[in-house]
């Protein structure tokens, strides 16, 4: 279920869920789902055998949705409201899942109280990505890993470089191409003028990146 204003699980969520299932190594692990939205990724992790799940989102409606869905699916989850890793304090996890906003937008900051906050991420799409790359080492156990999905429009190479600079070992695990959705279709002209879209490009590439700690 999904309360109004909560990001609907779409192709990016599906791609990360598929990688999570194929990758394995979840059984017995502690999992943090940051920017949980509907809670779909965390629920998938528990179904794969995760020992514990903590879900975090800044949006109150997303927190409520994650909590309700965890209960409807019989998944024991601790759900917290707050900004990225702040609500979990000094805790560390074996696996961190992230599907943050990553769509380039004209505004320098994402809106706080409109649906667009679920996808807008500043001019380069990296407002949340850069913070996740910097903060992930502080919430990962030795031998743990971050699994993150983003658009190629938000520069996957920058993500790989920042994760490497943070002391993690990053690698691309999967790619997928999807037709532009309504948001990107409405921004084609702007993104082409900025050089973020090639002439005639009508598909977006999604990328799943893993970054291991130690």
């Amino acid at each position: 279920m999904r309360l109004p204003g909560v990001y609907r699980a779409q192709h990016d969520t599906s791609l990360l869920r598929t990688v999570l299932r194929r990758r394995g190594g979840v059984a017995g692990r502690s999992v943090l789902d940051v920017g949980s939205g509907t809670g779909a990724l965390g629920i998938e992790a528990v179904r794969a055998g995760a020992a514990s799940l903590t879900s975090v989102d800044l949006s109150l409606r997303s927190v409520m949705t994650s909590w309700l869905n965890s209960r409807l699916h019989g998944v024991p989850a601790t759900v917290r409201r707050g900004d990225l890793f702040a609500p979990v304090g000094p805790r560390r996890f074996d696996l961190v899942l992230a599907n943050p906003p990553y769509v380039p937008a004209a505004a320098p900051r994402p809106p706080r109280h409109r649906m667009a906050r679920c996808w807008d991420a500043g001019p380069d799409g990296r407002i949340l990505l850069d913070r996740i790359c910097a903060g992930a080492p502080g919430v990962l156990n030795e031998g743990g890993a971050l699994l993150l999905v983003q658009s190629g429009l938000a520069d996957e190479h920058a993500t790989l470089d920042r994760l490497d600079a943070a002391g993690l070992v990053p690698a691309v695990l999967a790619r997928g191409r999807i037709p532009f959705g309504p948001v990107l279709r409405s921004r084609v002209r702007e993104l082409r003028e900025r050089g973020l879209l090639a002439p005639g490009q009508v598909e977006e590439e999604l990328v799943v990146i893993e970054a291991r700690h130690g």
Side-chain angles (χ1 to χ4, degrees):
M1 60 88 62
R2 182 178 66 91
L3 294 179
V6 177
Y7 182 75
R8 184 189 302 275
Q10 299 187 50
H11 296 283
D12 46 8
T13 305
S14 296
L15 183 61
L16 189 48
R17 288 170 69 181
T18 299
V19 170
L20 188 63
R21 288 193 297 267
R22 292 177 179 173
R23 172 185 177 275
V26 182
R29 304 292 185 172
S30 56
V31 175
L32 171 64
D33 181 12
V34 61
S36 58
T38 62
L41 291 173
I43 290 171
E44 185 67 39
V46 173
R47 287 174 173 170
S52 67
L53 169 65
T54 301
S55 300
V56 173
D57 205 293
L58 184 62
S59 160
L60 177 59
R61 291 187 181 188
S62 293
V63 168
M64 294 170 62
T65 300
S66 289
W67 187 89
L68 288 170
N69 280 329
S70 69
R71 272 52 186 178
L72 287 172
H73 289 271
V75 170
T78 300
V79 185
R80 296 282 183 260
R81 184 186 183 194
D83 183 28
L84 291 184
F85 305 123
V88 298
R91 285 192 63 193
R92 290 178 178 256
F93 301 83
D94 300 313
L95 180 64
V96 175
L97 305 173
N99 179 10
Y102 49 65
V103 177
R109 304 291 300 176
R112 283 294 303 273
H113 303 293
R114 292 192 291 114
M115 189 66 183
R117 72 182 185 275
C118 297
W119 51 78
D120 279 3
D124 57 4
R126 300 200 55 83
I127 285 179
L128 275 298
L129 286 168
D130 288 343
R131 293 180 60 207
I132 290 170
C133 292
V139 293
L140 282 173
N141 286 321
E142 188 71 18
L146 165 71
L147 276 182
L148 175 150
V149 63
Q150 69 166 83
S151 170
L153 298 177
D155 192 352
E156 68 184 85
H157 299 293
T159 299
L160 295 169
D161 290 343
R162 287 181 178 270
L163 290 169
D164 180 68
L168 303 180
V169 182
V172 174
L173 295 191
R175 298 179 184 275
R177 286 193 165 274
I178 60 169
F180 290 161
V183 174
L184 284 184
R185 286 200 300 269
S186 71
R187 299 179 185 177
V188 165
R189 181 175 179 179
E190 171 198 341
L191 294 175
R192 283 185 179 152
E193 288 175 349
R194 295 178 54 201
L196 296 176
L197 288 181
Q201 183 178 344
V202 295
E203 290 184 324
E204 177 186 17
E205 183 174 50
L206 301 174
V207 183
V208 175
I209 294 173
E210 178 188 63
R212 291 191 172 275
H213 188 15

